[in-house]
Amino acid sequence: MLKRVRRTTRRRVAAMAVAGALLGAAVAATAGPVQAAAPNIIVNGGFEDGLGSWFVNNGNATDGATLSATTDAYTGSSAVLVTGRKTTGSGPMQDLSGKVQAGKTYAITARVKYENPNSPATKQFFATMHYGGSTYTNVGTVTVARGQWGLIQGTFTIPAGQSVSTARLFFETPWTSNPASAPDTHLMDFKVDDVSVTEFVPSTTIEALGKNPGEGNPLISHKFGADGNAFVHDGRVYIYMTNDTQEYKPGPTGVSSTNTYASINTITVISSDDLMNWVDHGEIPVAGPNGVARYANNSWAPAMESKVVDGKEKFFLYFANNGGGSGVIVGDSPVGPWHDERGNLLITSATPGASNGINWLFDPGVFIDDDGQGYLVFGGGGDDGTRSAENTNHPKSTRVIRLGDDMISTKGSAEVIDAPLVFEAGHLFKRDGKYYYSYSSNFGFGGPIDPNGPPTGAIAYLMADSPMGPWTPETYKGIIFKNPGTYFGAGGNNHQSVFKLDGQYYFTYHAQTLNSRITGGATQGFRSPHLAKLDFNPDGTIKEVKGDYKGVEQIHNLDPYRVIEAETIAWQQGIATKKIDGGSEEFGAQAPNLVVHDIDNGDWTSLAKVDFGTGGAAGVTAKVRPLVVGGKIEVRLDGRTSPVVATIPVDAPLGEWTKLTAKLDGVKGVHDVYFTYAGPDGADLFEVDSWSFDANPSSSPEVKLTVTSSSRCIGSSAYVAVTAVNDSGVPATITLTTPYGSKTVADVAPGKQAYQSFNTRAAQIDAGTATVKATATIDGKQVTSTYDATYTAASCR
């Protein structure tokens, strides 16, 4: 949905400001702020029980009208018809005394309609609260076209000092002193249906366009994420982030209070293998009563590594428990499941070498060297109150310590890192035999700042020959990245990590870009992940990174001919994601399964640079859960307003997950794909779990093989022989599999064969099937083809 516009209006002697009341200047109402479901305070709001709980507004002696039930309803079987009005305020009213409270915010929706052919082509209607006496406040409005249902939708706050002992809601047209002089204009009959007043519960769904199509930054725009730490595994980069969204609580105006970080106890995870299409893996419940590490209160500034321990690869997620210490939890994969193997914090004031000179025992940064030895950098702060130049420029507030072989313990004593102007955000990485320690500089502790060191609030770095340093001022080499405020206007803290993918180094940082776009320029401390290329000079020093919205290039096209989680997104507007039961269809049963939800009419998501190949796609499939009747998904290429190439009517049974397919014709080559969502206004339409595309079978590339298998006897033992000849024009890796073993032969040249004779170690075998799988790169894409070949029974006695 579009970002909502809100204004206030007043009538008569109303003096109370109404947050979020809408003035409609168009035919349909401007949409109000989204809210979570809450109980309806209105009784019989749909008039399905006739006129029960409704009466004509009688606030003034001159008011009067007739209410009657009508079957011309917006929904259901009944609405209310208002006729014979004596005043503009003579409309249906309900008493809300004892149901609403001063100081609270409420959301209102209602449908209104008028049909008098002698009335104006459009007419404004109000929902109005009457608090007794002459205190009236308009709480919602719409300008609607004659003969059409209009939607009143908005929010209002009852002032804290307002008496609500008499609180009534009614519907009216704009006040005029002598409405009887033009009754067709001022006193026309009208209908009302589907009235709802609920306590306002803010939604964290971000409706603003936070990332323009074509931009790479911020990486995601449907939620926030700070302190991004990158971890590469099996050709995919995972980014673990402080979950700023936990603190995001937008009020009726859509602006949140300031981020205090106090309630953040989960870690957000996203991943990508192309650096443009990002998968939302949801939040890891790290700390708090429902977290994996229940001994901790918070989880900030994560760091991630993996290591084989006792023959099993484990994934170690380090986190800051506010400033008081750092902990670690252990996963079975980069996305869990997660468990606690320590039972308490890893870094505390009792850790050897960790006490003196450190204000904060947070911001853990993990690194594993080539010999398998792990290291942890941590710490921050350092303001001792002296306002001295020494303390400002050399607070010596961060440390490095060796980790135990189990990665959840430390060994030895932490050693001081004397980085100039050091403050927080320590990170350690290695390149070409050199070790790099990067960090965020402080903002000055009162003393003069050394001009030979880094500027304030920047990412600076040292270089050394060992992970333990020594890290001294002499190893300082410069800055990597100035404060984000340099590039985006909104400053704040700074945090980073470095990773290597497909031979290129990259730099993660955060900035308040999404926060700024939501509010139109203001920020409240909500940060979003960004990426930039990281390049080096011939001597190993780092070239300075500059922040921008462009980000990095997509490193390869997206393969559509597989299951794609719907929360894989390049650009979007208006949606949110949530976790549901079960595992991920794309990432496996142990990975959490997320879906796209809070989908309204006009929302959309997209995928960047989808390669449909020369053969093209024959169809598209969506796994969806319909929530209302009349929803549909439109597929467009290269723009969200481009022509529709396929439409998926979401017409399955409500509330049930169903796979629905639409045909595609002529979709070939590389395109950005936009999924635009349509359906009834004012309703959540459906949820989407996954996408997949079907290749045109007449032109799908395949690895061509000639496969044979046979059984034979060698002495008293039966053997199964399998041969696969590569009939393709490119080399292929061929795997031969039987019930008696498997053999892989790499880089089988065109015209050559892969062969294996499998000893069954039995004198007699039944007939069976051998399976052969071949993988090759055809037209720049990895293609896998599978063949079966039967063999006969054999008796070698």
Side-chain angles (χ1 to χ4, degrees), residues 79-90:
V80 65
L81 171 64
V82 188
T83 59
R85 291 194 297 149
K86 296 181 179 180
T87 65
T88 58
S90 299

Side-chain angles (χ1 to χ4, degrees), residues 296-362:
N297 295 317
N298 297 109
S299 56
W300 305 342
M304 180 69 167
E305 257 297 359
S306 70
K307 183 180 178 181
V308 175
V309 179
D310 296 330
K312 178 184 178 182
E313 185 177 23
K314 293 184 176 183
F315 299 82
F316 300 92
L317 179 62
Y318 301 84
F319 64 93
N321 179 37
N322 52 67
S326 294
V328 58
I329 60 174
V330 184
D332 296 333
S333 80
V335 292
W338 303 93
H339 46 276
D340 174 31
E341 292 191 359
R342 264 193 67 89
N344 52 34
L345 292 171
L346 172 64
I347 300 296
T348 69
S349 58
T351 301
S355 55
N356 295 334
I358 297 182
N359 295 112
W360 304 317
L361 298 166
F362 68 177

Side-chain angles (χ1 to χ4, degrees), residues 709-712 718-720 738-740 760 762-770 790-796:
S709 67
S710 61
S711 57
R712 62 186 66 174
Y719 282 74
V720 173
T738 72
Y740 311 106
T760 70
Q764 184 172 325
I765 60 171
D766 295 329
T769 301
T790 60
Y791 54 86
T792 60
S795 178
C796 303

Side-chain angles (χ1 to χ4, degrees), residues 712-719 759-763 796:
R712 62 186 66 174
C713 296
I714 300 178
S716 59
S717 295
Y719 282 74
N759 186 352
T760 70
R761 303 186 186 281
C796 303

Side-chain angles (χ1 to χ4, degrees), residues 317-564:
L317 179 62
Y318 301 84
F319 64 93
N321 179 37
N322 52 67
S326 294
V328 58
I329 60 174
V330 184
D332 296 333
S333 80
V335 292
W338 303 93
H339 46 276
D340 174 31
E341 292 191 359
R342 264 193 67 89
N344 52 34
L345 292 171
L346 172 64
I347 300 296
T348 69
S349 58
T351 301
S355 55
N356 295 334
I358 297 182
N359 295 112
W360 304 317
L361 298 166
F362 68 177
D363 287 8
V366 63
F367 166 73
I368 299 178
D369 208 351
D370 299 335
D371 61 1
Q373 174 61 56
Y375 300 84
L376 196 75
V377 293
F378 64 92
D383 185 0
D384 65 3
T386 64
R387 305 178 67 85
S388 68
E390 178 65 20
N391 178 240
T392 297
N393 294 285
H394 300 283
K396 303 178 183 178
S397 58
T398 61
R399 301 286 186 272
V400 57
I401 195 169
R402 291 179 177 85
L403 290 168
D405 293 340
D406 58 6
M407 298 291 288
I408 61 170
S409 62
T410 62
K411 56 185 180 182
S413 179
E415 297 187 13
V416 172
I417 298 174
D418 186 4
L421 213 67
V422 69
F423 189 51
E424 59 184 357
H427 177 70
L428 192 61
F429 72 97
K430 183 180 182 180
R431 176 186 177 272
D432 291 349
K434 291 291 185 180
Y435 299 85
Y436 296 75
Y437 173 75
S438 62
Y439 62 96
S440 176
S441 61
N442 66 56
F443 292 88
F445 295 151
I449 295 173
D450 185 350
N452 296 315
T456 59
I459 300 299
Y461 73 104
L462 316 179
M463 287 177 63
D465 295 323
S466 165
M468 299 297 291
W471 301 106
T472 64
E474 291 73 27
T475 64
Y476 171 71
K477 296 299 179 182
I479 67 166
I480 303 176
F481 181 69
K482 294 184 176 72
N483 191 267
T486 306
Y487 309 104
F488 304 108
N493 59 17
N494 214 346
H495 206 107
Q496 81 300 336
S497 74
V498 174
F499 69 95
K500 185 180 181 181
L501 185 66
D502 284 3
Q504 172 66 49
Y505 283 88
Y506 296 93
F507 177 80
T508 71
Y509 63 97
H510 66 220
Q512 297 184 65
T513 46
L514 176 58
N515 190 178
S516 179
R517 282 177 167 175
I518 291 170
T519 62
T523 54
Q524 295 81 40
F526 297 97
R527 302 155 296 177
S528 295
H530 288 229
L531 268 188
K533 285 179 65 176
L534 190 67
D535 293 320
F536 296 81
N537 296 307
D539 62 356
T541 56
I542 299 172
K543 295 182 179 180
E544 184 179 338
V545 169
K546 295 184 179 180
D548 60 26
Y549 287 100
K550 180 180 178 181
V552 303
E553 296 295 327
Q554 187 168 336
I555 59 176
H556 63 77
N557 297 331
L558 187 146
D559 175 13
Y561 302 122
R562 58 184 177 86
V563 173
I564 303 168

Side-chain angles (χ1 to χ4, degrees), residues 57-65 86-87 90 130 136:
N57 175 25
N58 56 12
N60 295 310
T62 55
D63 291 333
K86 296 181 179 180
T87 65
S90 299
H130 183 198
Y136 294 81

